[in-house]
Amino acid sequence: EDGPAGRRGERERSEEGLVERGPGAAFHMFVLMEDLLDKLKLLSYEEEALRRHNMRPLSRHYFALPTNPGEQFFMFCTLAAWLITKAGRPFEQPQEYDDPNAVISNVLSELRSF
C-alpha cells in the first residue's frame, strides 16, 4: 500500500511504471547531504567560500530540510559560483537579491559549457 514517505511498500512513479522503494529511502537525502558536506570540507569551503562572504558553515542537513528557502537558495548559488570559479572558470558571484531564474540560468549555462 502507498503510505507516507519512508514507510515500507512506498511506491513512486518512474519511466518503467511503479517502483518499490525501501524503508530507508526517506533518509537518502540526509546521507547525500552529509557526503556533500564532507566533499566541500575537503575543498576548504569554509575558509575559501564562507569567510569571504561572512556566512556560517552548513549543518549536516542544511539542504535536506526546507527551513529557509531564500537563504538556502542563496547559499546554493554562492557555493555553485565558488565551485565553478575553483574549477578554473570565471564566474560572477550572485548577489542575494538577483533574479533567481537568471542566476540558475547562468549556473546551468556555465555547467553545460564544461
Short mmCIF file of all heavy atoms in Angstrom, two decimals, residues 11-57:
data_model
loop_
_atom_site.label_atom_id
_atom_site.label_comp_id
_atom_site.label_asym_id
_atom_site.label_seq_id
_atom_site.Cartn_x
_atom_site.Cartn_y
_atom_site.Cartn_z
N ARG A 11 5.80 3.55 -2.92
CA ARG A 11 5.98 3.43 -4.37
C ARG A 11 6.17 4.81 -4.96
O ARG A 11 5.68 5.79 -4.44
CB ARG A 11 4.76 2.78 -5.00
CG ARG A 11 4.55 1.37 -4.53
CD ARG A 11 3.27 0.85 -5.07
NE ARG A 11 3.03 -0.46 -4.50
CZ ARG A 11 2.27 -1.36 -5.05
NH1 ARG A 11 1.63 -1.10 -6.15
NH2 ARG A 11 2.11 -2.53 -4.48
N GLU A 12 6.86 4.84 -6.05
CA GLU A 12 7.00 6.09 -6.80
C GLU A 12 6.93 5.76 -8.27
O GLU A 12 7.21 4.65 -8.69
CB GLU A 12 8.29 6.82 -6.45
CG GLU A 12 9.52 6.15 -6.93
CD GLU A 12 10.77 6.95 -6.59
OE1 GLU A 12 10.77 7.71 -5.63
OE2 GLU A 12 11.75 6.78 -7.32
N ARG A 13 6.53 6.73 -9.05
CA ARG A 13 6.42 6.53 -10.49
C ARG A 13 7.77 6.76 -11.14
O ARG A 13 8.53 7.61 -10.76
CB ARG A 13 5.40 7.48 -11.08
CG ARG A 13 4.01 7.20 -10.59
CD ARG A 13 3.00 7.58 -11.66
NE ARG A 13 1.68 7.23 -11.23
CZ ARG A 13 1.09 6.08 -11.50
NH1 ARG A 13 1.73 5.17 -12.18
NH2 ARG A 13 -0.13 5.83 -11.08
N SER A 14 8.05 5.97 -12.15
CA SER A 14 9.25 6.15 -12.95
C SER A 14 8.86 5.87 -14.39
O SER A 14 7.70 5.60 -14.69
CB SER A 14 10.37 5.22 -12.50
OG SER A 14 10.09 3.91 -12.89
N GLU A 15 9.84 5.93 -15.28
CA GLU A 15 9.56 5.67 -16.68
C GLU A 15 9.04 4.26 -16.91
O GLU A 15 8.28 4.00 -17.81
CB GLU A 15 10.82 5.92 -17.51
CG GLU A 15 11.23 7.36 -17.54
CD GLU A 15 12.53 7.57 -18.29
OE1 GLU A 15 12.97 6.65 -18.99
OE2 GLU A 15 13.10 8.66 -18.16
N GLU A 16 9.45 3.32 -16.07
CA GLU A 16 9.04 1.93 -16.23
C GLU A 16 7.72 1.63 -15.52
O GLU A 16 7.22 0.53 -15.60
CB GLU A 16 10.11 0.98 -15.67
CG GLU A 16 11.44 1.05 -16.38
CD GLU A 16 12.31 2.18 -15.85
OE1 GLU A 16 12.23 2.51 -14.67
OE2 GLU A 16 13.08 2.73 -16.65
N GLY A 17 7.18 2.55 -14.78
CA GLY A 17 5.95 2.32 -14.03
C GLY A 17 6.20 2.53 -12.55
O GLY A 17 7.04 3.32 -12.16
N LEU A 18 5.45 1.81 -11.70
CA LEU A 18 5.62 1.94 -10.26
C LEU A 18 6.87 1.20 -9.81
O LEU A 18 7.15 0.09 -10.26
CB LEU A 18 4.41 1.37 -9.53
CG LEU A 18 3.14 2.19 -9.61
CD1 LEU A 18 1.99 1.47 -8.91
CD2 LEU A 18 3.33 3.56 -9.00
N VAL A 19 7.62 1.81 -8.90
CA VAL A 19 8.85 1.23 -8.39
C VAL A 19 8.76 1.20 -6.87
O VAL A 19 8.38 2.19 -6.25
CB VAL A 19 10.09 2.08 -8.81
CG1 VAL A 19 11.34 1.52 -8.20
CG2 VAL A 19 10.18 2.14 -10.32
N GLU A 20 9.07 0.06 -6.28
CA GLU A 20 9.08 -0.06 -4.82
C GLU A 20 10.34 0.59 -4.27
O GLU A 20 11.41 0.43 -4.82
CB GLU A 20 9.06 -1.54 -4.41
CG GLU A 20 7.79 -2.26 -4.74
CD GLU A 20 6.66 -1.92 -3.81
OE1 GLU A 20 6.91 -1.61 -2.63
OE2 GLU A 20 5.50 -1.95 -4.26
N ARG A 21 10.17 1.35 -3.20
CA ARG A 21 11.32 1.95 -2.51
C ARG A 21 11.42 1.31 -1.14
O ARG A 21 10.42 1.01 -0.52
CB ARG A 21 11.15 3.45 -2.38
CG ARG A 21 11.22 4.16 -3.71
CD ARG A 21 10.96 5.63 -3.61
NE ARG A 21 11.68 6.25 -2.52
CZ ARG A 21 11.53 7.52 -2.18
NH1 ARG A 21 10.72 8.29 -2.85
NH2 ARG A 21 12.20 8.03 -1.18
N GLY A 22 12.63 1.16 -0.66
CA GLY A 22 12.84 0.55 0.65
C GLY A 22 12.52 1.52 1.77
O GLY A 22 12.29 2.72 1.55
N PRO A 23 12.54 1.03 3.01
CA PRO A 23 12.20 1.87 4.16
C PRO A 23 13.21 2.98 4.42
O PRO A 23 12.89 3.98 5.05
CB PRO A 23 12.15 0.89 5.33
CG PRO A 23 12.94 -0.29 4.88
CD PRO A 23 12.82 -0.35 3.39
N GLY A 24 14.42 2.86 3.89
CA GLY A 24 15.44 3.89 4.12
C GLY A 24 15.44 4.99 3.08
O GLY A 24 16.23 5.93 3.16
N ALA A 25 14.55 4.91 2.10
CA ALA A 25 14.55 5.88 1.00
C ALA A 25 14.32 7.31 1.48
O ALA A 25 14.89 8.24 0.93
CB ALA A 25 13.49 5.49 -0.03
N ALA A 26 13.52 7.48 2.51
CA ALA A 26 13.24 8.83 3.01
C ALA A 26 14.48 9.47 3.63
O ALA A 26 14.54 10.70 3.74
CB ALA A 26 12.12 8.78 4.04
N PHE A 27 15.46 8.68 4.01
CA PHE A 27 16.66 9.20 4.66
C PHE A 27 17.82 9.37 3.70
O PHE A 27 18.88 9.84 4.09
CB PHE A 27 17.05 8.30 5.83
CG PHE A 27 15.96 8.19 6.85
CD1 PHE A 27 15.15 7.07 6.89
CD2 PHE A 27 15.71 9.22 7.73
CE1 PHE A 27 14.12 6.98 7.81
CE2 PHE A 27 14.68 9.15 8.65
CZ PHE A 27 13.88 8.02 8.69
N HIS A 28 17.62 8.96 2.46
CA HIS A 28 18.69 9.04 1.46
C HIS A 28 19.19 10.47 1.27
O HIS A 28 20.39 10.69 1.12
CB HIS A 28 18.21 8.45 0.13
CG HIS A 28 19.28 8.38 -0.90
ND1 HIS A 28 20.38 7.55 -0.78
CD2 HIS A 28 19.43 9.04 -2.06
CE1 HIS A 28 21.16 7.72 -1.82
NE2 HIS A 28 20.61 8.61 -2.62
N MET A 29 18.29 11.44 1.31
CA MET A 29 18.71 12.83 1.12
C MET A 29 19.63 13.31 2.23
O MET A 29 20.52 14.12 2.01
CB MET A 29 17.50 13.76 0.99
CG MET A 29 16.72 13.95 2.26
SD MET A 29 15.27 14.95 2.06
CE MET A 29 14.07 13.70 1.77
N PHE A 30 19.46 12.77 3.43
CA PHE A 30 20.34 13.14 4.55
C PHE A 30 21.74 12.57 4.33
O PHE A 30 22.73 13.23 4.63
CB PHE A 30 19.75 12.64 5.87
CG PHE A 30 18.46 13.32 6.22
CD1 PHE A 30 17.25 12.68 5.99
CD2 PHE A 30 18.45 14.59 6.77
CE1 PHE A 30 16.06 13.30 6.29
CE2 PHE A 30 17.26 15.22 7.08
CZ PHE A 30 16.06 14.57 6.83
N VAL A 31 21.81 11.36 3.82
CA VAL A 31 23.11 10.74 3.51
C VAL A 31 23.81 11.53 2.41
O VAL A 31 25.01 11.81 2.50
CB VAL A 31 22.92 9.26 3.10
CG1 VAL A 31 24.23 8.66 2.63
CG2 VAL A 31 22.34 8.47 4.26
N LEU A 32 23.07 11.92 1.37
CA LEU A 32 23.66 12.70 0.29
C LEU A 32 24.18 14.04 0.81
O LEU A 32 25.25 14.49 0.41
CB LEU A 32 22.62 12.95 -0.81
CG LEU A 32 22.25 11.75 -1.67
CD1 LEU A 32 21.14 12.13 -2.65
CD2 LEU A 32 23.46 11.23 -2.41
N MET A 33 23.44 14.68 1.70
CA MET A 33 23.88 15.98 2.24
C MET A 33 25.15 15.82 3.06
O MET A 33 26.05 16.64 2.98
CB MET A 33 22.75 16.60 3.08
CG MET A 33 23.08 17.93 3.68
SD MET A 33 23.49 19.18 2.46
CE MET A 33 24.61 20.19 3.39
N GLU A 34 25.24 14.75 3.84
CA GLU A 34 26.45 14.53 4.63
C GLU A 34 27.65 14.28 3.71
O GLU A 34 28.74 14.77 3.97
CB GLU A 34 26.25 13.37 5.60
CG GLU A 34 25.32 13.75 6.75
CD GLU A 34 25.13 12.63 7.76
OE1 GLU A 34 25.96 11.70 7.81
OE2 GLU A 34 24.14 12.70 8.51
N ASP A 35 27.43 13.53 2.62
CA ASP A 35 28.51 13.31 1.64
C ASP A 35 28.93 14.62 0.99
O ASP A 35 30.12 14.89 0.81
CB ASP A 35 28.07 12.33 0.56
CG ASP A 35 27.98 10.90 1.06
OD1 ASP A 35 28.52 10.61 2.15
OD2 ASP A 35 27.36 10.08 0.36
N LEU A 36 27.96 15.44 0.63
CA LEU A 36 28.25 16.75 0.04
C LEU A 36 29.07 17.60 0.99
O LEU A 36 30.07 18.21 0.58
CB LEU A 36 26.95 17.48 -0.32
CG LEU A 36 27.08 18.94 -0.73
CD1 LEU A 36 27.82 19.06 -2.06
CD2 LEU A 36 25.73 19.60 -0.80
N LEU A 37 28.68 17.63 2.24
CA LEU A 37 29.40 18.44 3.22
C LEU A 37 30.83 17.95 3.40
O LEU A 37 31.77 18.75 3.48
CB LEU A 37 28.66 18.42 4.56
CG LEU A 37 29.13 19.40 5.60
CD1 LEU A 37 29.09 20.83 5.09
CD2 LEU A 37 28.28 19.28 6.85
N ASP A 38 31.04 16.63 3.41
CA ASP A 38 32.39 16.09 3.51
C ASP A 38 33.24 16.54 2.32
O ASP A 38 34.41 16.92 2.48
CB ASP A 38 32.36 14.56 3.57
CG ASP A 38 31.86 14.03 4.91
OD1 ASP A 38 31.86 14.80 5.89
OD2 ASP A 38 31.47 12.85 4.95
N LYS A 39 32.67 16.50 1.13
CA LYS A 39 33.41 16.90 -0.07
C LYS A 39 33.72 18.39 -0.05
O LYS A 39 34.82 18.81 -0.44
CB LYS A 39 32.63 16.52 -1.32
CG LYS A 39 32.58 15.02 -1.51
CD LYS A 39 31.67 14.61 -2.64
CE LYS A 39 31.61 13.09 -2.72
NZ LYS A 39 30.66 12.63 -3.71
N LEU A 40 32.77 19.20 0.40
CA LEU A 40 33.02 20.64 0.49
C LEU A 40 34.14 20.94 1.50
O LEU A 40 34.98 21.81 1.26
CB LEU A 40 31.74 21.39 0.88
CG LEU A 40 30.67 21.50 -0.19
CD1 LEU A 40 29.39 22.07 0.40
CD2 LEU A 40 31.16 22.34 -1.36
N LYS A 41 34.15 20.20 2.59
CA LYS A 41 35.21 20.39 3.59
C LYS A 41 36.57 20.03 3.03
O LYS A 41 37.57 20.69 3.32
CB LYS A 41 34.91 19.58 4.85
CG LYS A 41 33.81 20.19 5.69
CD LYS A 41 33.54 19.36 6.92
CE LYS A 41 32.43 19.98 7.75
NZ LYS A 41 32.12 19.19 8.95
N LEU A 42 36.63 18.99 2.21
CA LEU A 42 37.89 18.61 1.58
C LEU A 42 38.40 19.72 0.65
O LEU A 42 39.60 19.87 0.45
CB LEU A 42 37.74 17.31 0.79
CG LEU A 42 37.61 16.04 1.62
CD1 LEU A 42 37.28 14.84 0.73
CD2 LEU A 42 38.88 15.78 2.41
N LEU A 43 37.47 20.48 0.09
CA LEU A 43 37.84 21.59 -0.79
C LEU A 43 38.05 22.90 -0.02
O LEU A 43 38.22 23.96 -0.62
CB LEU A 43 36.75 21.80 -1.85
CG LEU A 43 36.62 20.67 -2.87
CD1 LEU A 43 35.36 20.88 -3.72
CD2 LEU A 43 37.85 20.60 -3.75
N SER A 44 38.01 22.84 1.31
CA SER A 44 38.20 24.00 2.19
C SER A 44 37.17 25.09 1.94
O SER A 44 37.48 26.28 1.91
CB SER A 44 39.61 24.57 2.02
OG SER A 44 40.57 23.59 2.28
N TYR A 45 35.90 24.69 1.79
CA TYR A 45 34.86 25.68 1.51
C TYR A 45 34.68 26.68 2.64
O TYR A 45 34.31 27.83 2.38
CB TYR A 45 33.53 24.97 1.19
CG TYR A 45 32.64 24.72 2.38
CD1 TYR A 45 31.52 25.51 2.59
CD2 TYR A 45 32.91 23.72 3.30
CE1 TYR A 45 30.68 25.29 3.68
CE2 TYR A 45 32.10 23.49 4.37
CZ TYR A 45 30.98 24.28 4.57
OH TYR A 45 30.17 24.07 5.65
N GLU A 46 34.94 26.26 3.88
CA GLU A 46 34.75 27.19 5.00
C GLU A 46 35.71 28.37 4.90
O GLU A 46 35.32 29.51 5.09
CB GLU A 46 34.92 26.46 6.33
CG GLU A 46 33.81 25.47 6.59
CD GLU A 46 34.09 24.54 7.75
OE1 GLU A 46 35.25 24.11 7.91
OE2 GLU A 46 33.14 24.25 8.49
N GLU A 47 36.98 28.07 4.58
CA GLU A 47 37.98 29.14 4.51
C GLU A 47 37.85 29.95 3.21
O GLU A 47 37.98 31.16 3.22
CB GLU A 47 39.39 28.56 4.59
CG GLU A 47 39.73 27.94 5.92
CD GLU A 47 39.22 26.51 6.06
OE1 GLU A 47 38.91 25.88 5.03
OE2 GLU A 47 39.10 26.04 7.20
N GLU A 48 37.60 29.27 2.11
CA GLU A 48 37.62 29.94 0.81
C GLU A 48 36.30 30.59 0.42
O GLU A 48 36.30 31.64 -0.20
CB GLU A 48 38.05 28.95 -0.27
CG GLU A 48 39.48 28.49 -0.11
CD GLU A 48 39.90 27.56 -1.24
OE1 GLU A 48 39.29 27.63 -2.33
OE2 GLU A 48 40.83 26.77 -1.02
N ALA A 49 35.19 29.96 0.73
CA ALA A 49 33.90 30.49 0.27
C ALA A 49 33.13 31.21 1.38
O ALA A 49 32.65 32.32 1.18
CB ALA A 49 33.03 29.36 -0.29
N LEU A 50 33.04 30.60 2.55
CA LEU A 50 32.19 31.17 3.59
C LEU A 50 32.78 32.41 4.24
O LEU A 50 32.07 33.38 4.46
CB LEU A 50 31.89 30.11 4.65
CG LEU A 50 31.13 28.89 4.17
CD1 LEU A 50 30.80 27.98 5.34
CD2 LEU A 50 29.86 29.28 3.42
N ARG A 51 34.06 32.38 4.55
CA ARG A 51 34.67 33.54 5.22
C ARG A 51 34.64 34.78 4.33
O ARG A 51 34.43 35.88 4.81
CB ARG A 51 36.09 33.23 5.64
CG ARG A 51 36.12 32.37 6.86
CD ARG A 51 37.46 32.36 7.53
NE ARG A 51 37.43 31.41 8.63
CZ ARG A 51 38.43 30.64 8.97
NH1 ARG A 51 39.56 30.69 8.30
NH2 ARG A 51 38.32 29.80 9.98
N ARG A 52 34.81 34.57 3.04
CA ARG A 52 34.80 35.70 2.10
C ARG A 52 33.43 36.39 2.09
O ARG A 52 33.33 37.60 1.91
CB ARG A 52 35.13 35.22 0.71
CG ARG A 52 35.21 36.36 -0.29
CD ARG A 52 35.54 35.95 -1.68
NE ARG A 52 36.38 34.76 -1.77
CZ ARG A 52 36.42 33.97 -2.83
NH1 ARG A 52 35.70 34.25 -3.88
NH2 ARG A 52 37.19 32.93 -2.85
N HIS A 53 32.37 35.62 2.31
CA HIS A 53 31.01 36.18 2.27
C HIS A 53 30.39 36.31 3.66
O HIS A 53 29.21 36.60 3.77
CB HIS A 53 30.12 35.30 1.39
CG HIS A 53 30.64 35.21 -0.01
ND1 HIS A 53 30.62 36.27 -0.88
CD2 HIS A 53 31.22 34.19 -0.68
CE1 HIS A 53 31.16 35.89 -2.03
NE2 HIS A 53 31.54 34.64 -1.93
N ASN A 54 31.20 36.08 4.69
CA ASN A 54 30.75 36.20 6.07
C ASN A 54 29.52 35.33 6.33
O ASN A 54 28.51 35.81 6.85
CB ASN A 54 30.49 37.66 6.44
CG ASN A 54 30.45 37.87 7.93
OD1 ASN A 54 31.06 37.11 8.68
ND2 ASN A 54 29.73 38.89 8.36
N MET A 55 29.60 34.06 5.95
CA MET A 55 28.49 33.13 6.11
C MET A 55 28.85 32.05 7.12
O MET A 55 30.02 31.76 7.33
CB MET A 55 28.13 32.48 4.77
CG MET A 55 27.73 33.48 3.71
SD MET A 55 27.55 32.69 2.12
CE MET A 55 25.80 32.81 1.92
N ARG A 56 27.83 31.47 7.71
CA ARG A 56 28.01 30.39 8.68
C ARG A 56 28.25 29.06 7.96
O ARG A 56 27.72 28.86 6.87
CB ARG A 56 26.76 30.22 9.55
CG ARG A 56 26.50 31.41 10.46
CD ARG A 56 25.21 31.21 11.23
NE ARG A 56 24.09 31.37 10.29
CZ ARG A 56 23.01 30.62 10.27
NH1 ARG A 56 22.85 29.64 11.12
NH2 ARG A 56 22.05 30.83 9.39
N PRO A 57 28.99 28.14 8.58
CA PRO A 57 29.16 26.81 7.99
C PRO A 57 27.81 26.08 7.91
O PRO A 57 26.90 26.33 8.69
CB PRO A 57 30.09 26.09 8.96
CG PRO A 57 30.76 27.17 9.72
CD PRO A 57 29.80 28.32 9.78
#
